[in-house]
Amino acid sequence: MKVNFGIIGFGFMGHIHEKMFDSMEDIKVVAICDIDEEKMSDAITEGVIKTTSVDELLEIKEINTVVISISNHVHKEAVIKAAKAGKNIICEKPAAMSVAEYDEMIAAVKDAGVLFTVHQQRRFDEDFRTAKEVYDQKALGKVFTIQSMLYGINGNMHDWHVFKKYGGGMLYDWGVHLIDQMLYMVDSPIKTIYADLRNVINEEVDDYFKILFRFENGITGEVELGTYFLADKPKWFERHWFIGGDTGSMYCDGFEPEGKIARTTRLLTNVPGKTTMTASGPTRSFGPPPEGLLVTEELPKVDVAHIMFFENYLKALEGKEELLVKIPEVRRVLAVMEAVRESAATGRSIDFE
Ligand SMILES: NC(=O)c1ccc[n+]([C@@H]2O[C@H](COP(=O)([O-])OP(=O)(O)OC[C@H]3O[C@@H](n4cnc5c(N)ncnc54)[C@H](O)[C@@H]3O)[C@@H](O)[C@H]2O)c1
């Protein structure tokens, strides 16, 4: 079955979507739309209809699904219009600027009875899935901490992302993915959220955040992102995962993950300390473990790619699978982002669920 798509917003992400659909047998891009005509000049789809009017695109009967990839502040308007036009919708993240906006959008989606999901495709990132696989295998005993970090080391933020009114800032950007990954991994209610959110160099929008989740199951989740961690390193970003449990731990670095699992051969509750000399003096607690107490293992291999997001969407359209990114899950991420802003503004932790 070939499904006809329309792409609304043909900038950075619109182009990526077109390229992805070009590689998929079951999707045909019928039309694209951008208010800036020039942006559509390098479209690769033969015979594609180009328009600068969203309404005109929505009038095209044969379009089954629209992908909305315009800046964040106009998602609501476009989603409501598309729903009223009877189109199924894949909206870019963040779905909305607030939970209140999102609720209005979902009311329109439900009224129209169309399918709706949000492109939170980083559930299919290899580094995340590797960490999740280790977590799911319950290989580390009782997990007490999960850390997910992303640092940019060149201070790079661009275009509308540096302006508040367009929905700029890193919380609305990578924040959505990092929060979504954490919540998708840890299947537990959140008791409290504590956060720091800063504009380190940007006047209007955040470019640093740290979020601490206290989950009901005893895990503390930590998400930290900064775009201004200036450093002279071989890569222009750093991505880290760490999971700590009472019988083992895992570190996993990079988008093509490298790391190890370290496990105890028995519980390390009271291991006699071996005095070790460091440049800062002697230590026993932070010296090497006794021989044979730790075994290391390779990280599991996972086979994932972003195309799986759309493969799932097509199956959901045929009623063969549930949508992976569900309406309430998207709402929960938006609600977390609001709690993050509240905690950062008040300096207090926020009771959540
Ligand atoms: N899922 C992801 O990994 C990911 C990655 C990057 C961006 N995004 C999201 O994609 C969306 C677009 O981001 P981008 O980086 O591609 O921005 P962009 O500025 O490169 O592209 C947006 C395009 O939309 C057009 N546009 C704006 N308002 C419009 C309107 N009302 N009607 C038609 N066209 C309009 C602009 O002219 C521009 O070409 C944002 O919501 C962003 O958060 C998602």
Side-chain angles (χ1 to χ4, degrees):
M1 180 185 74
K2 200 103 174 160
V3 182
N4 290 331
F5 273 40
I7 302 176
I8 298 176
F10 205 65
F12 171 75
M13 213 52 211
H15 280 79
I16 290 177
H17 287 316
E18 187 197 33
K19 213 165 156 204
M20 173 72 82
F21 302 150
D22 193 55
S23 76
M24 296 179 74
E25 268 196 0
D26 295 336
I27 295 179
K28 180 178 176 203
V29 179
V30 171
I32 58 178
C33 165
D34 200 293
I35 41 172
D36 180 351
E37 204 164 359
E38 178 58 30
K39 293 274 177 76
M40 300 184 283
S41 60
D42 59 353
I44 56 172
T45 312
E46 222 170 283
V48 73
I49 300 168
K50 297 176 184 176
T51 172
T52 53
S53 153
V54 175
D55 295 320
E56 217 171 274
L57 181 141
L58 291 174
E59 275 167 23
I60 301 173
K61 292 255 170 345
E62 60 267 31
I63 292 179
N64 169 294
T65 297
V66 290
V67 178
I68 296 176
S69 45
I70 51 188
S71 34
N72 302 336
H73 70 305
V74 273
H75 286 182
K76 177 182 138 185
E77 185 191 329
V79 165
I80 292 176
K81 269 189 179 178
K84 285 188 174 154
K87 305 300 184 193
N88 297 308
I89 299 163
I90 301 173
C91 183
E92 263 309 338
K93 48 58 39 184
M97 305 270 282
S98 65
V99 172
E101 257 195 28
Y102 184 68
D103 287 345
E104 275 185 65
M105 291 153 70
I106 295 309
V109 160
K110 289 197 167 149
D111 259 9
V114 295
L115 205 60
F116 176 87
T117 190
V118 175
H119 191 227
Q120 293 175 188
Q121 86 288 10
R122 292 198 176 280
R123 288 190 189 185
F124 292 106
D125 280 7
E126 196 183 335
D127 61 285
F128 164 61
R129 279 303 176 106
T130 303
K132 183 174 182 315
E133 180 62 26
V134 173
Y135 177 80
D136 288 346
Q137 283 175 3
K138 303 189 188 329
L140 309 175
K142 192 163 172 43
V143 170
F144 58 90
T145 182
I146 301 177
Q147 299 167 7
S148 162
M149 275 83 175
L150 177 64
Y151 306 120
I153 58 182
N154 58 9
N156 184 5
M157 277 176 69
H158 50 86
D159 305 313
W160 57 265
H161 292 281
V162 299
F163 299 109
K164 198 171 175 180
K165 70 172 177 184
Y166 300 115
M170 274 292 139
L171 187 62
Y172 277 144
D173 196 39
W174 266 87
V176 177
H177 293 303
L178 300 184
I179 293 167
D180 186 48
Q181 289 176 343
M182 183 65 77
L183 303 193
Y184 187 54
M185 173 148 53
V186 184
D187 184 17
S188 169
I190 303 164
K191 280 168 70 176
T192 59
I193 290 172
Y194 177 78
D196 187 9
L197 182 69
R198 289 174 192 254
N199 305 3
V200 178
I201 59 165
N202 283 282
E203 273 174 35
E204 292 197 16
V205 296
D206 63 274
D207 45 21
Y208 170 85
F209 56 78
K210 186 197 276 286
I211 308 168
L212 289 175
F213 299 92
R214 292 297 299 265
F215 289 101
E216 205 168 273
N217 65 4
I219 293 175
T220 297
E222 182 179 350
V223 171
E224 186 178 52
L225 173 146
T227 54
Y228 203 67
F229 275 52
L230 297 184
D232 183 8
K233 295 258 173 96
K235 283 188 188 142
W236 292 110
F237 60 86
E238 290 199 11
R239 180 77 175 114
H240 305 295
W241 284 94
F242 179 80
I243 304 181
D246 62 4
T247 62
S249 69
M250 177 220 75
Y251 72 88
C252 166
D253 294 336
F255 290 118
E256 288 164 57
E258 288 176 15
K260 284 266 171 15
I261 295 170
R263 284 206 266 180
T264 53
T265 49
R266 63 180 169 79
L267 268 186
L268 297 177
T269 44
N270 189 6
V271 178
K274 185 176 162 201
T275 305
T276 306
M277 201 56 189
T278 74
S280 302
T283 176
R284 283 181 298 172
S285 296
F286 296 96
E291 283 288 298
L293 261 183
L294 281 184
V295 287
T296 56
E297 292 165 20
E298 296 305 316
L299 294 174
K301 292 269 172 261
V302 296
D303 187 14
V304 284
H306 289 174
I307 197 171
M308 289 171 169
F309 173 90
F310 294 104
E311 288 169 348
N312 163 259
Y313 175 80
L314 292 177
K315 288 197 183 120
L317 206 55
E318 285 187 79
K320 290 184 179 160
E321 268 181 22
E322 270 188 38
L323 275 176
L324 182 79
V325 180
K326 298 177 181 57
I327 288 172
E329 292 172 346
V330 172
R331 190 180 193 280
R332 190 170 181 232
V333 172
L334 293 172
V336 165
M337 296 199 318
E338 290 190 356
V340 165
R341 290 188 198 281
E342 189 186 339
S343 172
T346 59
R348 289 207 298 270
S349 87
I350 307 298
D351 290 338
F352 197 71
E353 283 165 341

